[in-house]
Amino acid sequence: MTKTSKINNLRNIGIIAHIDAGKTTVTERILYYTGRSHKIGEVHDGEAVMDWMPDEQERGITITSAVTTCRWRNFDIQVIDTPGHVDFTIEVERSLRVLDGAIGVFCAVGGVEPQSETVWRQADKYHVPKITFINKMDRIGASFFGTIEMMKKKLNANPLILQLPVGKEDNFTGIIDLVAMKQIVWDEDTLGATFTTGDIPSDLLETANDYREKLVEAVAETDDELMEAYLSEKEIAAEKLNSAIRKATINLKFIPVLCGSALKNKGVQPLLDAIVRFLPSPVDIPPIKGIHPETGQIIECHAQEKSPLAALIFKVSMMEGRKLSFIRIYSGKIKAGSDIFNPARKITEKLSRILRMHANKRERIDKAGPGSIVGVIGLKDSSTGETLCSISDPVLLEKMEFYEPVISIAVEPKTHADQEKFIQVLNKFIAEDPTLKVREDRDTGQTILSGMGELHLEVIISRMQREFKTSVNVGKPQVVYRESIQKKAQASAIFDREVAGKRHFGGVSLKIIPLARGEGNRFKSEISAETLPEIFIPSIEKSVCDALENGSLMGYPVVDTEVILTGGSYKESLSSELAYTVSTSMACRNALQKGDPFLLEPIMDVEVFVPEPYTGEIIGDLNSRNGKIEAIEHKMGVQVIKATIPLSKMFGYSTSLRSTTQGRGTFTMQFSHFDKA
């Protein structure tokens, strides 16, 4: 196989969806039918290959995105199975950043659920071509066309129906392939490994012909040659149609739609065919752009071995105490034992090993080329979101954005023995997970751990105990507030004191002005160089930034203010950076107190899904939590209540919702904005 054909036969795909839509089940079937695993692992038995962490097996959910490689019809498919729970959104974000294509899995009963919207928007942000698999067609209440309508309405997607289900719910037996115009029925005795392809039954032929006509018409609009054949009513060959669908999918014109039931082993082989047929190889997508770290000129990184190296670390994981970095190579190649350059930190690192990953198992390889997603060992200082390149041809790829944590708990080691490991363990978790933050509260001396939600923090605590044998006491979650001011204020301060035998002098006057919500903090100087030498302005600005880190009300960071330096006092030979740093800090604190400070609390966007009989009770409960109900929609047998609610009122909500709705209600929550507490 030539090098070019090898990269043409590579597919990097991610499986994205709402929690419980069946992503991991679909992945397990893909591994089974491609011969990568010899037994189907089920999520509900805690035996899924891709959910290898004990916490994942216990909870039956995916927490960390796992990478694996399999082969189908001479194509190499690198699959990343991503989490569906909102607390682990960062795992989806960083996976989509390095993938060439995605499979959106939707539950035929639930349709397009809130977290599906989030992950879909993340894929749109990175312009990732997608295909859709409507799963669980065997479930009661399954609606193939209902889900497609929701895709149009909620995702602004342009679905292209390539298959029709044969039967539904208990009678779901197979699918009709509208490109080949054949019916496929799976054999239940062989776990779906064998299936028969036959003619479409006469009672379904008319419907199939209608949808085939719609399919050809839609695709013809994107391809002149097809349009000619369509208008002159010529027979269009399946190969021609497939290649036009591929082009349109890669150009983000359509989302091909397939269906099946992964748990019942139906529909997965045609999905594999669609992956290799319609999703792009690394050479089909535009080359990723980076910049030269010194000159700032734009560099295109082409997916070729002979191009200079450009790779991105999209994830760091601690496996058996060693740091394993997951990288996506965009151009060039890497060899085990070679030196590699990190332009962000200006350091050279040595790659001691390169590993091809299969969930938590791995096999050593000597080298890897463009398009590969591999694990590497040996990177000591490089972290998530950083670029790796060659020293002679440096390039800096765009950094990854991370979310701000919304919920905090206080943690402390239980025993003296735990104390020593405690900080090391926390540092390992922070290296792994950029959405996890650790800080020490200056007032209380507590170690505060902040994350994306209750489940996120629960999993971290459980892993501390399990993987690192470190026991901790956990305090009640604290909401991460912010502070701001309501009115303009002015203040001055002078520092004139002897420190370590030398006199220091410096004075500043400043005013502080409230800004609109979400504007952030700004600093500007309105004084001339005659009033204060410019050399002191940077240390005054730094001191302002430091002072705004701790508000005057309760010590939370201050946001949405503008600090203007209006005056200063200066004495030649006595004035020093120390004096201006201290006087600025004093003036800032003083001005913040005069500015009528108030607390801002995080407000969450909440969507609650409840069966109709409980709607009234749930609305009453949300109102009692200071919630503002924004919309109530009816969708497939449940009411969807959309509201904005202060985070402080949402602790323990999942328990309360379950008990009110006898376990039938679910909700999702994500950060919206900060507002006056």
Side-chain angles (χ1 to χ4, degrees):
M1 197 189 278
T2 67
K3 280 178 183 168
T4 49
S5 77
K6 190 160 184 184
I7 189 163
N8 287 338
N9 283 9
L10 180 63
R11 299 287 180 272
N12 287 321
I13 58 150
I15 299 191
I16 60 171
H18 186 84
I19 193 164
D20 272 354
K23 293 176 299 304
T24 303
T25 307
V26 170
T27 313
E28 292 300 319
R29 298 315 185 262
I30 286 175
L31 298 181
Y32 180 69
Y33 298 132
T34 56
R36 193 71 173 89
S37 51
H38 303 294
K39 162 176 174 276
I40 292 181
E42 296 296 12
V43 176
H44 51 259
D45 299 334
E47 288 179 358
V49 176
M50 301 301 270
D51 286 352
W52 54 271
M53 282 166 64
D55 279 288
E56 295 180 309
Q57 291 165 354
E58 262 179 31
R59 291 178 162 87
I61 61 168
T62 304
I63 289 169
T64 158
S65 45
V67 182
T68 189
T69 311
C70 53
R71 278 184 79 74
W72 180 253
R73 303 197 195 288
N74 251 353
F75 286 81
D76 283 314
I77 304 175
Q78 301 189 104
V79 187
I80 298 186
D81 173 31
T82 67
H85 196 287
V86 65
D87 284 13
F88 308 106
T89 303
I90 183 63
E91 289 286 338
V92 187
E93 179 91 17
R94 54 183 174 188
S95 303
L96 284 170
R97 170 74 156 79
V98 297
L99 290 170
D100 304 330
I103 301 164
V105 178
F106 296 129
C107 163
V109 183
V112 178
E113 294 163 288
Q115 190 58 15
S116 321
E117 290 183 58
T118 307
V119 295
W120 197 268
R121 280 197 296 272
Q122 287 171 312
D124 284 343
K125 174 170 144 188
Y126 295 118
H127 307 295
V128 177
K130 298 174 279 293
I131 56 180
T132 291
F133 182 70
I134 297 178
N135 192 21
K136 306 193 181 184
M137 285 304 304
D138 59 312
R139 290 263 305 274
I140 290 174
S143 168
F144 178 70
F145 293 107
T147 305
I148 287 174
E149 279 313 305
M150 288 175 77
M151 281 177 68
K152 291 180 189 167
K153 204 166 108 190
K154 288 201 150 186
L155 306 173
N156 289 333
N158 189 4
L160 185 71
I161 300 173
L162 300 187
Q163 294 178 351
L164 294 175
V166 176
K168 65 177 203 175
E169 300 180 355
D170 288 351
N171 304 321
F172 174 67
T173 53
I175 58 161
I176 289 171
D177 178 342
L178 295 174
V179 177
M181 284 303 274
K182 291 285 179 195
Q183 171 176 275
I184 304 174
V185 178
W186 275 266
D187 181 357
E188 304 215 350
D189 300 335
T190 62
L191 286 177
T194 55
F195 50 88
T196 40
T197 306
D199 292 331
I200 299 169
S202 53
D203 57 333
L204 297 173
L205 198 54
E206 194 182 329
T207 311
N209 281 328
D210 284 351
Y211 277 97
R212 160 82 180 196
E213 180 79 7
K214 286 179 186 167
L215 166 67
V216 173
E217 188 181 341
V219 179
E221 283 179 12
T222 66
D223 186 291
D224 296 343
E225 200 182 324
L226 264 193
M227 184 54 100
E228 244 171 71
Y230 174 67
L231 291 174
S232 53
E233 295 186 8
K234 285 185 190 153
E235 184 55 43
I236 292 171
E239 287 78 46
K240 274 254 163 63
L241 193 53
N242 278 333
S243 89
I245 295 171
R246 174 181 177 77
K247 208 166 115 194
T249 305
I250 293 172
N251 293 332
L252 308 179
K253 297 237 168 61
F254 291 123
I255 313 287
V257 178
L258 300 97
C259 62
S261 164
L263 191 64
K264 296 283 163 63
N265 313 310
K266 292 172 185 168
V268 180
Q269 294 94 335
L271 173 65
L272 279 160
D273 287 338
I275 289 169
V276 300
R277 240 176 232 154
F278 307 128
L279 288 178
S281 75
V283 281
D284 294 322
I285 50 171
I288 192 168
K289 290 185 171 72
I291 58 165
H292 192 289
E294 307 297 319
T295 64
Q297 114 196 43
I298 291 176
I299 298 171
E300 284 194 348
C301 306
H302 292 274
Q304 298 161 347
E305 271 205 13
K306 58 179 190 290
S307 297
L309 174 68
L312 186 79
I313 306 173
F314 67 95
K315 179 177 168 154
V316 170
S317 187
M318 293 293 168
M319 282 200 178
E320 293 151 23
R322 300 194 70 174
K323 181 174 169 181
L324 174 69
S325 306
F326 289 84
I327 66 169
R328 156 78 199 248
I329 304 170
Y330 288 101
S331 66
K333 58 176 190 275
I334 56 169
K335 278 192 179 139
S338 63
D339 287 337
I340 205 161
F341 184 60
N342 176 338
R345 295 180 186 257
K346 297 189 169 53
I347 52 171
T348 303
E349 303 239 46
K350 192 173 217 54
L351 292 181
S352 53
R353 285 184 197 176
I354 305 173
L355 306 166
R356 184 177 287 122
M357 303 303 297
H358 177 48
N360 62 333
K361 299 181 180 63
R362 52 213 141 170
E363 103 197 46
R364 284 178 76 160
I365 52 177
D366 294 328
K367 57 179 192 208
S372 302
I373 292 176
V374 290
V376 296
I377 287 179
L379 303 180
K380 289 195 176 68
D381 301 312
S382 301
S383 69
T384 306
E386 292 178 350
T387 308
L388 299 174
C389 58
S390 64
I391 302 173
S392 53
D393 294 285
V395 62
L396 200 52
L397 302 174
E398 187 189 343
K399 274 197 83 113
M400 294 163 77
E401 290 172 16
F402 301 121
Y403 298 91
E404 283 302 307
V406 293
I407 184 171
S408 300
I409 52 173
V411 287
E412 59 179 32
K414 268 190 182 165
T415 65
H416 192 66
D418 293 322
Q419 176 78 47
E420 288 164 20
K421 287 191 289 185
F422 179 62
I423 297 298
Q424 287 175 325
V425 171
L426 282 181
N427 287 337
K428 281 180 178 165
F429 282 128
I430 295 168
E432 255 185 42
D433 185 347
T435 56
L436 197 65
K437 299 274 194 293
V438 174
R439 68 183 174 88
E440 190 169 294
D441 190 307
R442 291 185 190 179
D443 300 333
T444 61
Q446 281 179 311
T447 303
I448 306 291
L449 189 61
S450 308
M452 299 304 293
E454 287 181 81
L455 180 65
H456 184 199
L457 295 177
E458 220 176 273
V459 167
I460 294 291
I461 300 299
S462 160
R463 286 183 60 198
M464 272 189 181
Q465 177 85 51
R466 218 176 223 144
E467 290 172 36
F468 299 100
K469 308 285 181 276
T470 307
S471 301
V472 292
N473 291 322
V474 177
K476 188 178 177 297
Q478 299 283 314
V479 176
V480 184
Y481 289 94
R482 297 283 184 271
E483 293 184 18
S484 195
I485 55 167
Q486 302 191 59
K487 61 179 191 192
K488 285 184 191 175
Q490 296 189 342
S492 303
I494 288 179
F495 181 84
D496 185 2
R497 203 171 289 174
E498 203 169 281
V499 179
K502 184 176 185 296
R503 190 167 157 219
H504 293 263
F505 176 87
V508 295
S509 299
L510 46 83
K511 68 177 172 195
I512 196 161
I513 299 170
L515 299 175
R517 283 297 70 79
E519 293 239 345
N521 291 329
R522 298 202 289 257
F523 170 82
K524 76 174 184 199
S525 166
E526 287 183 349
I527 60 174
S528 63
E530 284 82 65
T531 315
L532 260 188
E534 269 179 29
I535 190 167
F536 295 120
I537 302 295
S539 51
I540 290 174
E541 182 173 357
K542 185 179 180 306
S543 184
V544 165
C545 294
D546 291 347
L548 294 179
E549 279 299 305
N550 292 286
S552 58
L553 207 57
M554 289 173 75
Y556 290 109
V558 179
V559 292
D560 305 335
T561 58
E562 181 170 41
V563 179
I564 301 168
L565 181 61
T566 53
S569 340
Y570 170 70
K571 286 185 183 172
E572 196 144 355
S573 79
L574 293 181
S575 286
S576 67
E577 282 193 6
L578 169 73
Y580 286 112
T581 301
V582 178
S583 57
T584 304
S585 177
M586 286 154 56
C588 248
R589 191 152 280 278
N590 197 343
L592 286 172
Q593 281 166 350
K594 290 182 188 169
D596 213 352
F598 64 95
L599 272 189
L600 290 164
E601 63 180 341
I603 306 292
M604 310 304 282
D605 278 332
V606 178
E607 281 198 4
V608 190
F609 296 74
V610 288
E612 215 151 311
Y614 306 105
T615 313
E617 277 176 83
I618 295 302
I619 290 175
D621 182 35
L622 293 176
N623 285 333
S624 72
R625 294 171 186 268
N626 296 355
K628 286 186 188 148
I629 309 290
E630 304 208 317
I632 301 172
E633 293 170 8
H634 181 77
K635 184 184 89 177
M636 293 189 185
V638 294
Q639 296 285 9
V640 183
I641 304 163
K642 297 182 179 181
T644 55
I645 304 179
L647 176 63
S648 55
K649 305 286 185 194
M650 288 301 288
F651 290 128
Y653 183 64
S654 48
T655 318
S656 139
L657 178 67
R658 282 188 199 125
S659 59
T660 311
T661 61
Q662 297 171 356
R664 291 168 65 197
T666 58
F667 81 104
T668 62
M669 165 171 95
Q670 51 198 34
F671 173 73
S672 168
H673 62 282
F674 279 100
D675 211 342
K676 199 167 177 180

